[in-house]
């Protein structure tokens, strides 16, 4: 395994500091400066050994780690969270549950443990899936009662956007002082929709840094929902009780971003999106679903929320 010196030199929060909600009232487990790198360890279905002892998978949950307080961040700011590196364990797990999933006739209760070898998920003796590590849950604490860690919303949360990989960034509207950031729910691989209920759920660690997007440099910082920057694309995330609602919100946000940048009419902007943007599903299996609109950053005269993000590494598979 390649030695990662930053693993030991930067602040690190273990997965024992886990939470089942994005709670503003919790004491910070770490306080960092803007731009400072830190590690968060993440639990998975396999943490603690209960998965392999019981078939009662509905009793298992995947919490988030945190909160991390970010100095100098205030309500109304737009917080950019850069994902610099993801390390994942060499075993993952998946489940299905009655009444859950995106299939018409439903699914039974089943669990499946997989090994991860040479950048591949060994799904069975004859089937391999390329590893593409991602962060399923990234969010800040909202005002009031903290939503469940499996909930998506304006705070971010359980977006399950497979584009949140190493080298990506998530921009989230801040609601409370110092943001109170949480993250977790690492996946070795996930398809759009996470249609059976889970992706390849893995323990691991993620290295992050956070910076407020300067309001004077960008008129688009008044965002209402999370925006993902990944692979030369800008991705807006919508959430709702239905995919229809979620997609409309993601479309509205992209329309506003692009119209503000290009100074076009709503109609001309909508036509560009119809020709060049992709509307797709992030997650359709939880109580609130999430949809995304992806547009290549070249369609903007200036990519929204761009900041220098140095020391970004490709995702690696490692024992953690």
């Amino acid at each position: 395994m390649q030695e990662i010196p930053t693993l030991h030199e930067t602040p690190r929060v273990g997965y024992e500091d886990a939470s089942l909600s994005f709670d503003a009232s919790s004491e910070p487990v770490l306080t960092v400066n803007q731009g400072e790198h830190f590690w968060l360890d993440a639990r998975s279905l396999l943490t603690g050994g209960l998965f392999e002892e019981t078939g009662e998978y509905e009793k298992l949950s995947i919490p988030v780690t945190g909160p991390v307080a970010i100095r100098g961040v205030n309500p109304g700011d737009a917080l950019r969270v850069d994902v610099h590196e993801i390390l994942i364990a060499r075993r993952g797990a998946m489940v299905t549950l009655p009444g859950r999933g995106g299939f018409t006739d439903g699914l039974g209760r089943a669990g499946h443990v997989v090994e991860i070898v040479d950048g591949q998920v060994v799904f069975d003796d004859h089937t391999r899936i390329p590893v593409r590590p991602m962060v399923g849950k990234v969010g800040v604490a909202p005002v009031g009662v903290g939503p469940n860690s499996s909930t998506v919303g304006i705070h971010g949360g359980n977006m399950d956007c497979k584009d949140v990989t190493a080298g990506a960034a998530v921009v989230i509207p801040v609601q409370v002082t110092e943001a109170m950031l949480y993250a977790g729910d690492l996946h070795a691989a996930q398809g759009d929709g996470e249609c059976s209920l889970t992706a390849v759920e893995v323990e691991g660690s993620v290295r992050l840094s956070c910076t407020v997007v300067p309001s004077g440099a960008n008129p688009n910082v008044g965002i209402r929902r999370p925006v993902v920057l990944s692979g030369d694309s800008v991705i807006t995330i919508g959430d709702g009780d239905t995919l229809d609602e979620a997609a409309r919100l993601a479309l509205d946000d992209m329309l506003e971003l692009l119209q503000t940048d290009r100074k076009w009419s709503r109609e001309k902007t909508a036509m560009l999106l119809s020709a060049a943007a992709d509307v797709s599903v992030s997650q359709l299996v939880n109580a609130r679903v999430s949809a995304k609109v992806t547009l290549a950053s070249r369609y903007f005269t200036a990519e929204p929320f761009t900041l220098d993000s140095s020391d970004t590494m490709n995702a690696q598979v490692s024992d953690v």
Side-chain angles (χ1 to χ4, degrees):
M1 183 184 82
Q2 179 183 349
E3 181 65 22
I4 309 295
T6 54
L7 187 64
H8 304 290
E9 295 171 1
T10 61
R12 183 175 185 177
V13 179
Y15 61 52
E16 63 274 9
D17 287 308
S19 173
L20 289 174
S21 65
F22 292 87
D23 187 1
S25 65
S26 295
E27 287 295 317
V29 297
L30 178 69
T31 300
V32 298
N33 295 318
Q34 291 184 45
E36 181 179 358
H37 289 215
F38 58 94
W39 286 94
L40 296 182
D41 295 342
R43 299 172 68 93
S44 82
L45 292 173
L46 293 176
T47 303
L50 188 62
F51 181 93
E52 292 165 292
E53 297 173 6
T54 177
E56 297 177 319
Y57 303 124
E58 60 268 40
K59 294 183 178 180
L60 301 174
S61 61
I62 301 176
V64 285
T65 302
V68 175
I70 317 299
R71 293 187 180 96
V73 180
N74 297 297
D77 287 337
L79 184 72
R80 173 170 167 151
V81 183
D82 278 282
V83 181
H84 297 283
E85 188 175 359
I86 303 171
L87 302 180
I88 62 172
R90 297 186 181 275
R91 299 175 76 236
M94 305 183 73
V95 301
T96 60
L97 292 173
R100 304 296 299 275
F103 300 91
T104 300
D105 293 332
L107 300 166
R109 181 180 287 102
H112 186 44
V113 177
V114 298
E115 302 296 324
I116 299 171
V117 180
D118 296 331
Q120 302 283 314
V121 175
V122 183
F123 189 74
D124 65 20
D125 290 342
H126 307 288
T127 310
R128 304 288 189 272
I129 303 168
V131 165
R132 189 171 183 265
M134 55 157 285
V135 185
K137 300 176 182 178
V138 182
V140 297
V143 175
V145 177
N148 185 277
S149 62
S150 292
T151 301
V152 61
I154 61 174
H155 66 290
N158 190 29
M159 296 177 287
D160 280 322
C161 176
K162 72 176 186 180
D163 307 281
V164 184
T165 58
V170 184
V171 183
I172 310 172
V174 174
Q175 300 183 52
V176 301
T177 301
E178 295 189 318
M180 304 295 278
L181 178 81
Y182 295 82
D185 189 28
L186 304 184
H187 301 163
Q190 182 202 299
D192 280 337
E194 201 182 23
C195 60
S196 77
L197 179 59
T198 63
V200 181
E201 310 286 341
V202 288
E203 289 184 357
S205 301
V206 57
R207 179 161 58 93
L208 305 172
S209 68
C210 300
T211 313
V212 171
V213 178
S215 58
N218 194 323
N220 299 322
V221 294
I223 59 171
R224 291 170 290 186
R225 279 167 288 274
V227 176
V228 175
L229 309 176
S230 180
D232 297 321
S233 291
V234 177
I235 304 165
T236 52
I237 305 291
D239 64 277
D241 294 327
T242 66
L243 283 174
D244 221 27
E245 179 185 355
R248 288 180 184 278
L249 290 176
L251 280 166
D252 288 348
D253 287 352
M254 186 64 80
L255 182 103
E256 184 173 343
L257 284 177
L258 186 62
Q259 185 183 14
T260 300
D261 173 78
R262 299 303 291 257
K263 307 295 190 270
W264 289 341
S265 68
R266 282 177 55 84
E267 292 73 23
K268 182 175 180 179
T269 307
M271 285 188 277
L272 186 283
L273 295 182
S274 192
D278 292 319
V279 182
S280 52
V281 178
S282 283
Q283 169 272 117
L284 51 70
V285 292
N286 291 318
R288 288 189 70 79
V289 298
S290 52
K292 61 184 180 180
V293 174
T294 303
L295 183 66
S297 57
R298 68 177 181 273
Y299 291 107
F300 292 86
T301 61
E303 181 180 322
F305 316 112
T306 298
L307 290 173
D308 289 336
S309 178
S310 60
D311 193 26
T312 296
M313 303 176 67
N314 291 327
Q316 300 183 37
V317 176
S318 172
D319 294 317
V320 294

